[in-house]
Amino acid sequence: MTTPAGSGSGFGTVSWWGLSPAVDLQAESAPVDPDLQADTEHGTPDLNVLLLGSTDGRHLLQTLARAALWPQRRFQFYVLENNLEAVARHMLIFSLALEDPEKMGLQEKSETFLEMWGNALLRPPVAAFVRAQADRLAHLVPEPDRLAEQLPWLNLGALKFRERDALEAVFRFWAGGEKGPEAFPMSRLWDSRLRHYLGSRYDARRGVSDWDLHMKLHDRGARVIHTREFRRWRDTGVAFELRDSSAYHVPNRTLASGRFLSHRGERIAARGYWGDIATGPFVAFGIEADDDSLLRTSNGQPVKTAGEITLHNVTEMFREITAWRRPRVAQGDPEQVRGDGDGSPEPAGPALESFTVHFLSLGSAQTLHHKSCYKGRFQLLYVACGMVHLLSPELGACVAPGGRLIVELAQYLVDLRQEQLQGFSTKVGELAQTAGFAPHPGAKPSETLARFYKAGDSGSGCMDLTVEPGTPPPEVLVPPLGATNPPSEDLTQPLEGRVPPSETLNLSSESQASPSEALAPPTRSQFHISNL
């Protein structure tokens, strides 16, 4: 069996963590004009951000953590993913980040986040937290009134009814609707996926791991990733080992996703792991730090690992979010205090009203401009590297004149060679220009993000360009890997015979006729990569 290296299959078709460091979206956006964008009820300017494929909420959390450094604004985050499991992960991550400090301490919260977010296997206490939160969310999703009362920062109004049903089914699976590890045998699925990816190189996987780390990730700027932690993640899927290694044995169900496969001529629904097995979750929080001492080297080697830097950055981020959310009664802010019956002041919980996360319907990127409420609405548009094919004039019409565009580049996709990385960056520039954007002249050089701005009212003129709107360039995109080279049976868990489909993906007769609305289309595999 030959190796598929160079095909991009190591990054799978579902993205669970980002491939660029977390950024403060407020720092990336253009200044908001209070006279034009002020909220008439609160007198606070809005910052409207549209994010395509942000996957793990890192940019949103980083923006909230840095909010105290900027003039007060109300954040309106509009998040568009291509699978409902990613939406569910967003909700779970935010539920953890906003957990009451009296119920969960800072250290416990940070460690729980790292394991839940980046580990294939969990410790029993973390798995219990996931089950409890998933059960709570499963009961809230079908009840809009209770959802608005308990999670006022969340808005699911743009999701279709079938998407909400499928979202509820995802939470019920996480909550343990199917008992026992065999419901999602993560270790076996991970090993099968690794064997399928490496092929004849499987027995030399340690050498392959070292080569990818030292000759690719280190050379591209991620030198703090330690050999030991990278090998461990490649072998087991455990990126952050905060306790004894024997403590990690419960499958992380939040990394499960469903898709339709062809089996003996029939189309069946299956559950498996189709995420990243090549780069790992170290890039998002583990290769940059405000504290320069964390990046210090000794004898040419970093003194801190990516896991240690990730834990520090996440802990500080949650600390800042907690401080920002505290009612500012001491400052005497009248908007943050309301009186009760006897005239004494009472905290009004400002942070829960200071931002809202709106989840948009899957596949709606090309139709947003049809709704007047979205045309020219956003001051900032973020597009992940797996969704650049959606960057079009129609999407550009949703960005206000003078708005900014950030595109995640493929710097840390280890399967890509340098010439392919350069070709991808060039194609991103062409797509951005087609959508009505120009390179930002004042942007600092970056190999992980490409920055653009929308000059003037280019929404009408951009439709006259020669590239057909909404058509992905053939040089960048290819058909899904699963359509040409379906995974072997070892890589999946058939839903039939284990649990009724309604308990997993809500595969009703209607959704079977339109599986693209319930299952995740490819992301990382949508790059044109020639075989070695």
Side-chain angles (χ1 to χ4, degrees):
M1 184 178 182
T2 58
T3 173
S7 68
S9 61
F11 305 97
T13 57
V14 181
S15 177
W16 297 124
W17 40 73
L19 293 176
S20 60
V23 298
D24 178 3
L25 298 175
Q26 238 185 139
E28 299 288 343
S29 63
V32 177
D33 187 346
D35 295 332
L36 297 178
Q37 299 293 336
D39 185 296
T40 56
E41 180 181 355
H42 298 279
T44 304
D46 278 359
L47 178 62
N48 297 290
V49 183
L50 175 61
L51 302 100
L52 272 62
S54 58
T55 69
D56 55 11
R58 67 193 186 284
H59 302 313
L60 281 62
L61 293 174
Q62 185 77 342
T63 302
L64 298 183
R66 303 294 175 87
L69 304 177
W70 299 88
Q72 186 177 357
R73 292 179 183 175
R74 286 169 44 85
F75 301 113
Q76 303 292 339
F77 301 119
Y78 292 80
V79 179
L80 197 157
E81 300 291 348
N82 61 9
N83 62 91
L84 290 173
E85 291 88 354
V87 174
R89 290 250 299 178
H90 272 285
M91 294 171 60
L92 183 64
I93 287 172
F94 264 86
S95 296
L96 171 63
L98 303 179
E99 187 70 63
D100 189 336
E102 296 183 358
K103 295 181 179 179
M104 178 177 286
L106 186 60
Q107 180 179 351
E108 181 185 2
K109 180 183 295 187
S110 302
E111 293 180 352
T112 300
F113 171 84
L114 259 63
E115 296 184 23
M116 178 186 72
W117 167 67
N119 283 359
L121 301 174
L122 304 176
R123 291 182 293 121
V126 176
F129 172 82
V130 172
R131 288 193 298 269
Q133 288 295 317
D135 183 67
R136 176 194 178 208
L137 292 171
H139 285 87
L140 289 178
V141 167
E143 300 187 27
D145 293 338
R146 286 185 60 202
L147 184 68
E149 178 185 351
Q150 297 190 27
L151 304 178
W153 51 267
L154 177 64
N155 189 326
L156 301 180
L159 295 183
K160 301 176 182 178
F161 287 112
R162 76 173 67 174
E163 290 173 333
R164 297 189 196 184
D165 292 341
L167 187 62
E168 179 188 353
V170 170
F171 285 127
R172 293 198 180 281
F173 170 66
W174 291 1
E178 298 176 59
K179 304 298 182 180
E182 282 305 310
F184 184 61
M186 185 64 184
S187 295
R188 181 168 64 83
L189 293 173
W190 184 277
D191 184 70
S192 297
R193 177 78 193 286
L194 201 61
R195 289 176 183 272
H196 183 74
Y197 171 63
L198 294 178
S200 59
R201 301 188 303 168
Y202 179 80
D203 291 336
R205 57 189 179 279
R206 173 165 292 192
V208 175
S209 171
D210 292 346
W211 176 270
D212 287 344
L213 176 63
H214 294 286
M215 304 305 295
K216 296 178 181 178
L217 291 175
H218 282 184
D219 285 351
R220 297 177 188 179
R223 288 187 54 83
V224 294
I225 302 178
H226 195 276
T227 303
R228 184 172 58 253
E229 63 184 350
F230 191 71
R231 283 179 183 171
R232 182 185 63 236
W233 175 78
R234 276 281 185 98
D235 287 341
T236 66
V238 176
F240 308 105
E241 195 173 87
L242 307 174
R243 297 292 185 272
D244 182 77
S245 60
S246 62
Y248 298 90
H249 56 82
V250 182
N252 186 355
R253 296 192 179 198
T254 72
L255 298 181
S257 60
R259 62 189 294 185
F260 284 103
L261 299 176
S262 178
H263 178 66
R264 297 176 182 176
E266 296 184 1
R267 193 171 175 82
I268 65 170
R271 180 188 297 118
Y273 177 77
W274 289 292
D276 173 27
I277 58 170
T279 299
F282 306 104
V283 173
F285 295 104
I287 64 173
E288 294 182 358
D290 292 335
D291 186 353
D292 292 336
S293 66
L294 296 173
L295 305 176
R296 186 170 55 86
T297 60
S298 178
N299 297 324
Q301 297 298 321
V303 297
K304 297 291 185 180
T305 66
E308 292 171 330
I309 295 174
T310 298
L311 179 59
H312 174 274
N313 285 340
V314 169
T315 302
E316 290 304 307
M317 181 178 69
F318 286 154
R319 188 195 310 277
E320 292 169 354
I321 291 176
T322 301
W324 176 71
R325 292 182 69 241
R326 289 196 185 105
R328 292 184 285 270
V329 178
Q331 283 123 4
D333 190 338
E335 290 189 11
Q336 315 306 331
V337 182
R338 62 172 180 263
D340 57 16
D342 58 5
S344 60
E346 178 183 327
L352 295 180
E353 299 178 355
S354 299
F355 76 96
T356 306
V357 182
H358 308 260
F359 288 104
L360 303 178
S361 178
L362 309 186
S364 62
Q366 303 300 331
T367 59
L368 289 178
H369 69 287
H370 291 313
K371 298 183 178 180
S372 59
C373 62
Y374 293 130
K375 290 199 67 173
R377 180 183 186 91
F378 303 104
Q379 292 93 33
L380 179 64
L381 168 62
Y382 171 88
V383 182
C385 63
M387 300 185 77
V388 293
H389 59 289
L390 298 177
L391 188 55
S392 65
E394 293 90 347
L395 193 61
C398 297
V399 180
R404 306 288 173 81
L405 165 67
I406 305 176
V407 181
E408 180 185 61
L409 300 179
Q411 176 74 1
Y412 295 109
L413 295 178
V414 297
D415 275 359
L416 301 191
R417 297 185 292 268
Q418 283 297 332
E419 59 270 21
Q420 294 169 321
L421 294 176
Q422 184 59 45
F424 181 78
S425 299
T426 302
K427 185 57 62 177
V428 165
E430 295 174 359
L431 289 173
Q433 182 178 4
T434 300
F437 296 89
H440 196 288
K444 57 183 179 181
S446 173
E447 295 181 335
T448 58
L449 297 173
R451 295 175 171 89
F452 306 88
Y453 77 102
K454 188 173 182 180
D457 187 6
S458 57
S460 58
C462 66
M463 298 298 293
D464 299 329
L465 298 175
T466 56
V467 177
E468 182 180 355
T471 303
E475 296 84 1
V476 177
L477 307 181
V478 295
L481 290 176
T484 57
N485 185 24
S488 64
E489 295 183 13
D490 288 340
L491 301 180
T492 65
Q493 289 294 300
L495 300 186
E496 298 179 1
R498 293 186 179 275
V499 69
S502 60
E503 288 296 324
T504 53
L505 297 176
N506 193 39
L507 298 176
S508 61
S509 58
E510 184 178 6
S511 64
Q512 287 178 353
S514 181
S516 61
E517 296 191 14
L519 298 179
T523 54
R524 304 300 178 193
S525 62
Q526 292 177 317
F527 304 102
H528 176 73
I529 310 169
S530 60
N531 293 325
L532 291 178

